[in-house]
Amino acid sequence: MATEGPPVHQVQVAEHPRLLKLKEIFNSKFGSIPKFYVRAPGRVNIIGEHIDYCGYSVLPMAVEQDMLIAVEPVKTHTLQLANTNPLYPDFNTSADNIQIDKTKPLWHNYFLCGFKGIQEHFGLSNLIGMNCLVDGNIPPSSGLSSSSALVCCAGLVTLTVLGMNLSKAKLIEFSPLRATDVKLPSGAVFVIANSCVEMNKAATSHFNIRVMECRLAAKLLAKHRSLQWDKVLRLEEVQAKLGVSLEEMLLITEDTLHPEPYSPEEVCQCLGISLQELKTQILSPNTQDVLTFKLYQRAKHVYSEAARVLQFKKICEEAPDDMVQLLGELMNQSHVSCRDMYECSCPELDQLVDICRKFGAQGSRLTGAGWGGCTVSIVLADKLPSFLANVHEAYYQKSGRSLAPEKQSLFATKPGGGALVFLEA
């Protein structure tokens, strides 16, 4: 595994309007100028939703929107964090005693996670402090990984201040350690459309319940196949232990689990444990009061979506003439599964997907956690101008949603660059 860090670029800040503005705001806030800047991109999942935490690969693409942090190391042991967006208040804390309040979804917690992750990875203490100003143009709570980009950025900031390196695969903990390049079709672009419905994963229970439903489904499938179910946490582990294909796992799911929701009592009966054991040994604190679990539907989504990711990759490698159409069909199937089996869509996302398909998208689906956020569509490059105009009119203008900044509502994107460090030349 490579150990070099991300590329370091010497830049003339005056020639980069965004960096220059960041430098000016930094100076007015801290009375000094940044020593360096770090960038980490947002990303969009082209396909592969809600399967990464079940052990399966996804197909993300870095987008051009990003997080930027201006940084100045300081002699004190204090972390001072500020944000160019006035919605996010300033924060400061001791660099030696990072406490993350998990009960509240606060913006600075994502920075602290990246900082603390590096600190713990290298077993560091007595860290120097820094002044940091964060600027992001990734729409928040939109499914474009603004929080992941901030965690990445913070980890990279910490490494740079310490003069240390770490391979990117280890740094980006939310992505698989094995990364493969997939060549996307050249005659098509991906269009991101924001539903303008915000879903804050940290503030709702939908996400936590889905994670637990997948875990319970894995345990019931493992028990039924006489595996050591109490050690199993993820659906992928069941497939790996049985040594069967994803298609076979779908058949096993249909044979083993029933479509009707399971009560906690029925889960206990299937596993041969008491309700007390279920609550204290398996369920997380925020899922202990859930009355029904849809295990069949969640497992069906995960195994079928994991298969779609592999098919998507295969089509990209083989590049048949009808490649864009085939990829679009997989994206459409993915949305149906997210909507009907994983139930992580919402009326606005479904409406937006329908509009995108109506005006020429070869395929369209929700992306990110769902329950709001964005859709991603694959569109032939020559159809792009009319597609953007029609979707803008049908979804944004007719509903008054065009109040959202246009650039953040609907935009075509090509694969963006990765994480970078900028030094002033």
Side-chain angles (χ1 to χ4, degrees), residues 67-192:
M67 283 286 171
L68 272 179
I69 305 183
V71 189
E72 179 198 22
V74 291
K75 293 280 193 291
T76 65
H77 295 272
T78 304
L79 270 183
Q80 290 207 79
L81 308 178
N83 199 305
T84 56
N85 186 332
L87 289 177
Y88 304 120
D90 294 358
F91 177 80
N92 61 71
T93 185
S94 163
D96 295 326
N97 185 28
I98 299 291
Q99 300 295 325
I100 298 173
D101 180 358
K102 294 177 187 169
T103 61
K104 300 192 189 104
L106 300 164
W107 78 271
H108 59 254
N109 282 347
Y110 296 105
F111 186 100
L112 297 180
C113 282
F115 183 88
K116 198 174 172 72
I118 298 300
Q119 188 182 19
E120 289 178 357
H121 182 84
F122 289 106
L124 304 169
S125 57
N126 208 24
L127 287 177
I128 63 165
M130 49 181 143
N131 295 334
C132 297
L133 177 63
V134 177
D135 178 61
N137 59 9
I138 308 167
S141 301
S142 64
L144 299 182
S145 297
S146 56
S147 53
S148 297
L150 182 49
V151 173
C152 255
C153 233
L156 201 42
V157 162
T158 312
L159 285 169
T160 308
V161 164
L162 297 169
M164 300 172 94
N165 284 327
L166 187 67
S167 77
K168 281 198 217 180
K170 280 186 194 159
L171 179 66
I172 304 173
E173 292 166 69
F174 47 80
S175 70
L177 286 176
R178 284 191 313 279
T180 318
D181 286 340
V182 173
K183 189 164 171 48
L184 295 167
S186 55
V189 291
F190 290 95
V191 178
I192 314 297

Side-chain angles (χ1 to χ4, degrees), residues 188-225:
V189 291
F190 290 95
V191 178
I192 314 297
N194 195 337
S195 69
C196 304
V197 176
E198 287 196 9
M199 198 299 273
N200 190 329
K201 271 189 302 198
T204 56
S205 59
H206 300 308
F207 190 84
N208 297 323
I209 293 169
R210 296 299 183 279
V211 173
M212 189 51 65
E213 286 173 320
C214 291
R215 181 172 296 182
L216 291 173
K219 288 184 182 297
L220 263 67
L221 289 169
K223 177 85 168 21
H224 190 262
R225 286 294 168 129

Side-chain angles (χ1 to χ4, degrees), residues 172-340:
I172 304 173
E173 292 166 69
F174 47 80
S175 70
L177 286 176
R178 284 191 313 279
T180 318
D181 286 340
V182 173
K183 189 164 171 48
L184 295 167
S186 55
V189 291
F190 290 95
V191 178
I192 314 297
N194 195 337
S195 69
C196 304
V197 176
E198 287 196 9
M199 198 299 273
N200 190 329
K201 271 189 302 198
T204 56
S205 59
H206 300 308
F207 190 84
N208 297 323
I209 293 169
R210 296 299 183 279
V211 173
M212 189 51 65
E213 286 173 320
C214 291
R215 181 172 296 182
L216 291 173
K219 288 184 182 297
L220 263 67
L221 289 169
K223 177 85 168 21
H224 190 262
R225 286 294 168 129
S226 305
L227 300 173
Q228 199 176 351
W229 66 266
D230 54 328
K231 295 278 192 288
V232 169
L233 293 174
R234 303 188 298 185
L235 286 162
E236 185 274 335
E237 293 169 46
V238 183
Q239 185 199 354
K241 284 178 170 37
L242 293 177
V244 300
S245 68
L246 285 163
E247 288 69 26
E248 285 171 287
M249 279 313 306
L250 282 165
L251 294 174
I252 289 169
T253 299
E254 285 174 20
D255 287 345
T256 310
L257 304 174
H258 55 67
E260 298 76 32
Y262 286 73
S263 66
E265 290 75 14
E266 189 180 0
V267 170
C268 291
Q269 195 182 341
C270 293
L271 296 177
I273 59 173
S274 69
L275 201 54
Q276 182 63 17
E277 285 172 305
L278 176 70
K279 289 197 168 183
T280 56
Q281 293 172 27
I282 300 177
L283 298 182
S284 54
N286 48 25
T287 57
Q288 288 185 357
D289 297 325
V290 176
L291 299 177
T292 55
F293 298 101
K294 293 190 176 179
L295 308 186
Y296 170 88
Q297 291 83 348
R298 309 319 182 213
K300 284 266 292 191
H301 167 75
V302 170
Y303 289 131
S304 64
E305 186 79 345
R308 280 186 286 273
V309 171
L310 296 180
Q311 284 175 274
F312 197 99
K313 180 171 178 282
K314 187 164 178 276
I315 292 165
C316 287
E317 285 165 355
E318 294 174 356
D321 290 343
D322 56 350
M323 177 180 183
V324 176
Q325 184 190 333
L326 293 172
L327 296 180
E329 284 168 10
L330 286 173
M331 290 170 72
N332 288 339
Q333 289 166 23
S334 171
H335 183 78
V336 170
S337 184
C338 285
R339 183 190 70 201
D340 299 346

